[in-house]
Amino acid sequence: MPIENKRGIFGKLSSKVSKFHSSSTQIPSAEDKEGFLKAQRLAYQCVTEVEKEMKEGWTELQTTKRMNEFLRDHGVKTFLHRPFAWFGEHARFDGYKRFTQFHPGKKQLVSSESFILDVSPVVDGYIGDIGYSSSLEYNTVLVEGMEYLLELRKKIPGYFASDLTNSEIWWKIDKDAKENGFDNVHALYPFAVLGHRVYKVNLPNTSFPLLPISFASWFSLQGSIEFLSHKVLPELLTPDHEGDKIGLWAIEPHFGRGKTGFKFEEILVVEKDKTYWLDENVPHVQKYTKVSI
């Protein structure tokens, strides 16, 4: 069912509630930007180091366990959401009807297929939520998709610096992707988010359990508490978000073509007079500006 037909009452509620003030709607300090940069770089280090170990036949669960181990070995105890690994057609959520289907499972990695790794460590209170797409062997559709995403990446800061609302940005990206032959996979996420705010969390540096129900099982207990305490909807860049753009956003456009899915996720800084990516030295820019992977 098209996303515009599924929103219903939620869409109207999101439009109204997103206008509420959020404590995350503020220009980050230089200290905060350094904190988020450290967290984001550790997250990217995690997925790129684990990628080097991955072999055909690895399962999604095996991969997420290894990412967990890497982050624990580097001192991480808290996170926004559980580590995710999506292999092959799972990377585009085909046939998914329940939020629990998004969880890593026993699906095995095939060398020629794309995969997505997504982690969100909290480092010194700063959230580093990232997504990374790759394949063990060269995958033409993946490379073409990531090249398109890199072109979109160049445009996104201008969208946020313009008079476009967050809702209009969501629909502009959706329209352009479809016109270029890509399927909008982030429309299938909980609340169809294109991104969400990130902020410094103030919780004990202690591991918490995962929540066992529905979409909440995506998140750690502290992650769910944080989103609820920040009013949830003002924090999520949904198709109906009409709130302020100032602040830090983890932007995660996710598309598919054929049986292949691909995305990136990284932090965008939106200030009153300028908008820019927190870091230009990110793995997907390095990887997909080359002729091959």
Side-chain angles (χ1 to χ4, degrees):
M1 181 183 296
I3 183 68
E4 55 266 29
N5 294 333
K6 295 168 63 177
R7 286 148 54 217
I9 295 175
F10 171 78
K12 295 179 181 178
L13 177 64
S14 176
S15 179
K16 291 182 179 180
V17 176
S18 66
K19 297 177 182 179
F20 292 172
H21 175 74
S22 166
S23 58
S24 303
T25 307
Q26 56 183 322
I27 297 173
S29 66
E31 179 183 356
D32 283 343
K33 284 186 283 189
E34 282 299 315
F36 285 110
L37 182 61
K38 179 181 178 181
Q40 179 170 278
R41 286 181 171 171
L42 178 61
Y44 279 128
Q45 182 185 357
C46 173
V47 297
T48 53
E49 289 297 320
V50 170
E51 177 188 21
K52 295 174 184 177
E53 303 175 24
M54 294 171 66
K55 294 178 173 61
E56 186 165 67
W58 271 39
T59 66
E60 294 169 339
L61 281 169
Q62 181 180 357
T63 306
T64 56
K65 180 181 178 182
R66 183 67 191 97
M67 291 192 290
N68 259 321
E69 291 172 347
F70 181 96
L71 292 173
R72 285 200 304 271
D73 290 345
H74 286 76
V76 174
K77 294 183 180 180
T78 59
F79 55 96
L80 178 63
H81 63 69
R82 66 168 70 210
F84 288 108
W86 296 300
F87 296 170
E89 70 273 12
H90 282 188
R92 50 165 300 137
F93 305 157
D94 283 337
Y96 284 18
K97 297 180 180 179
R98 300 183 306 277
F99 291 129
T100 52
Q101 290 179 287
F102 293 84
H103 298 166
K106 298 180 180 179
K107 183 171 177 55
Q108 294 184 325
L109 182 62
V110 176
S111 293
S112 60
E113 294 180 339
S114 70
F115 61 83
I116 295 174
L117 306 180
D118 193 313
V119 294
S120 62
V122 176
V123 180
D124 300 326
Y126 295 99
I127 297 171
D129 194 2
I130 65 95
Y132 174 74
S133 301
S134 190
S135 60
L136 297 185
E137 297 177 0
Y138 188 87
N139 181 310
T140 301
V141 178
L142 169 64
V143 172
E144 291 174 349
M146 289 305 302
E147 288 174 345
Y148 173 77
L149 277 172
L150 290 191
E151 289 303 310
L152 174 61
R153 183 183 183 273
K154 295 176 183 177
K155 298 175 182 177
I156 285 175
Y159 294 163
F160 276 82
S162 73
D163 293 332
L164 293 172
T165 66
N166 285 333
S167 173
E168 288 169 339
I169 293 171
W170 196 104
W171 288 106
K172 183 175 182 62
I173 289 173
D174 175 79
K175 181 175 181 290
D176 186 69
K178 290 174 179 175
E179 288 177 347
N180 281 275
F182 297 104
D183 302 317
N184 183 343
V185 180
H186 59 259
L188 303 177
Y189 283 24
F191 308 111
V193 296
L194 172 62
H196 58 84
R197 291 187 183 277
V198 291
Y199 37 79
K200 189 173 183 181
V201 298
N202 296 298
L203 289 171
N205 190 29
T206 304
S207 296
F208 285 86
L210 296 168
L211 297 179
I213 55 171
S214 191
F215 78 87
S217 58
W218 279 48
F219 301 101
S220 62
L221 178 60
Q222 69 268 34
S224 296
I225 290 172
E226 281 297 313
F227 267 127
L228 289 171
S229 67
H230 285 72
K231 300 186 180 71
V232 185
L233 294 179
E235 303 299 287
L236 305 180
L237 205 168
T238 71
D240 303 281
H241 193 289
E242 301 292 343
D244 202 318
K245 291 183 286 188
I246 295 294
L248 294 170
W249 295 89
I251 301 296
E252 49 183 326
H254 187 165
F255 301 130
R257 175 179 281 171
K259 295 183 178 181
T260 302
F262 33 85
K263 70 176 285 188
F264 73 78
E265 182 176 12
E266 59 176 305
I267 295 175
L268 182 73
V269 184
V270 182
E271 300 179 354
K272 290 181 179 180
D273 57 349
K274 58 182 177 178
T275 302
Y276 53 95
W277 296 105
L278 181 64
D279 190 4
E280 286 296 336
N281 188 32
V282 289
H284 46 281
V285 170
Q286 296 173 337
K287 190 180 188 77
Y288 294 103
T289 52
K290 299 177 181 179
V291 175
S292 62
I293 46 179

